[in-house]
Amino acid sequence: MADTPMWEQIGTGFVQHYYQQFDTDRVKLADLYTDTSCLTWEGVGFQGKNAIMGKLTSLPFQTIQHSITAQDHHPTPDSCVMTMVMGQLKADQDQVMGFQQVFLLKNIDNKWVCTNDMFRLSLHNFGA
Amino acid sequence: MGDKPIWEQIGSSFVQHYYQLFDTDRTQLGSIYIDASCLTWEGQQFQGKAAIVEKLSSLPFTKIAHSITAQDHQPTPDSCILSMVVGQLKADDDPIMGFHQSFILKNINEAWVCTNDMFRLAIHNFG
């Protein structure tokens, strides 16, 4: 880890924590958001910890497993960390689906929180 | 357009402009980056307008067409705009591929520039 840039350590630490919590007990994800955090979930917007947790805890599956294919992290001009994740998930007995998720992490009062979160399943209107 | 939040207008205009330039003459994309911009292209990092444009210009295809499946935009706490794009692209005669791209846009000296850009082809190690 010593040679990994700081923002990458923060980003990968967050990603590991986020999906582990999501897959085991997603109620605990509340710790990662603030009252001004924004989530866009499949194109629908939610603002604030309460609204975000209301959405995440009401998603219609019992079990879910995420697997990360690739993750990228950047420092931003405002000292945040931008993270993009591409992966696959399996919800209940549904088929495996690809997904994309982007986070913006910001250090507020010595704690890294997620101020922005966007999620999409990788579903295209394949022509052929 | 009138009812859309401002960050969504800026984000969707940027997305339209970016892919239009990319598909017609990607050597022109230098105008949207600054010297502090970061690009991660398929996991490989580039910093600064010159390095980014060199990477984009040297990509090994002569023709490319992007098609956007979905795009999301959010305001950030530091008055930037975070944009996420899901789409498909066709390069030369290769098969159509899915891609993911994310941008941070920041207003510097009255112009919106791209400070952060991440691109990945949607290729998974399906089990």
Side-chain angles (χ1 to χ4, degrees):
Chain A
M1 281 299 262
D3 288 346
T4 311
M6 185 58 106
W7 64 83
E8 206 159 319
Q9 296 181 31
I10 293 161
T12 52
F14 174 85
V15 164
Q16 190 184 5
H17 181 67
Y18 176 90
Y19 292 106
Q20 196 169 30
Q21 296 277 49
F22 204 115
D23 291 358
T24 51
D25 182 6
R26 56 191 192 273
V27 173
K28 292 188 183 144
L29 290 171
D31 291 344
L32 303 174
Y33 298 100
T34 71
D35 290 338
T36 54
S37 296
C38 295
L39 166 70
T40 304
W41 188 271
E42 285 286 283
V44 184
F46 300 88
Q47 184 162 15
K49 187 193 289 239
N50 288 343
I52 291 172
M53 291 316 298
K55 175 62 182 175
L56 295 182
T57 53
S58 67
L59 290 167
F61 45 76
Q62 297 302 312
T63 61
I64 185 158
Q65 245 186 318
H66 292 81
S67 126
I68 308 304
T69 303
Q71 53 181 300
D72 296 304
H73 311 281
H74 273 184
T76 79
D78 301 293
S79 305
C80 295
V81 176
M82 175 191 184
T83 295
M84 182 169 92
V85 176
M86 181 177 102
Q88 294 176 290
L89 58 81
K90 182 166 175 60
D92 293 335
Q93 300 304 311
D94 294 349
Q95 61 178 16
V96 173
M97 285 183 284
F99 73 92
Q100 176 186 18
Q101 195 157 13
V102 176
F103 303 99
L104 192 65
L105 311 177
K106 189 176 169 76
N107 194 311
I108 298 178
D109 299 331
N110 285 330
K111 193 185 158 204
W112 286 91
V113 295
C114 175
T115 60
N116 297 80
D117 180 352
M118 296 173 170
F119 173 92
R120 286 264 180 193
L121 290 171
S122 305
L123 303 175
H124 298 281
N125 310 310
F126 278 103
Chain B
M1 282 298 266
D3 289 345
K4 276 196 200 167
I6 190 78
W7 63 84
E8 203 160 323
Q9 296 180 31
I10 295 162
S12 55
S13 300
F14 172 84
V15 164
Q16 189 183 5
H17 181 65
Y18 176 90
Y19 292 106
Q20 197 167 27
L21 272 186
F22 204 114
D23 290 356
T24 51
D25 181 6
R26 60 188 188 276
T27 61
Q28 302 297 312
L29 285 170
S31 56
I32 64 158
Y33 298 102
I34 59 171
D35 289 338
S37 297
C38 296
L39 165 70
T40 301
W41 188 273
E42 287 285 281
Q44 215 187 341
Q45 294 185 23
F46 302 88
Q47 181 161 12
K49 185 198 288 242
I52 292 172
V53 173
E54 190 192 331
K55 172 63 182 175
L56 297 179
S57 306
S58 67
L59 290 167
F61 45 76
T62 48
K63 266 189 331 190
I64 187 161
H66 290 82
S67 133
I68 309 303
T69 304
Q71 54 181 300
D72 298 304
H73 310 280
Q74 284 181 0
T76 78
D78 301 293
S79 306
C80 295
I81 295 169
L82 178 64
S83 293
M84 178 172 96
V85 175
V86 188
Q88 296 177 294
L89 58 82
K90 183 163 174 59
D92 294 333
D93 293 320
D94 293 347
I96 291 174
M97 285 183 283
F99 74 91
H100 301 301
Q101 196 158 11
S102 306
F103 304 98
I104 288 186
L105 311 177
K106 187 175 171 73
N107 194 313
I108 297 178
N109 299 329
E110 305 292 310
W112 285 92
V113 295
C114 175
T115 59
N116 298 82
D117 180 351
M118 295 174 172
F119 174 91
R120 286 267 179 192
L121 288 172
I123 297 171
H124 298 280
N125 309 311
F126 277 103

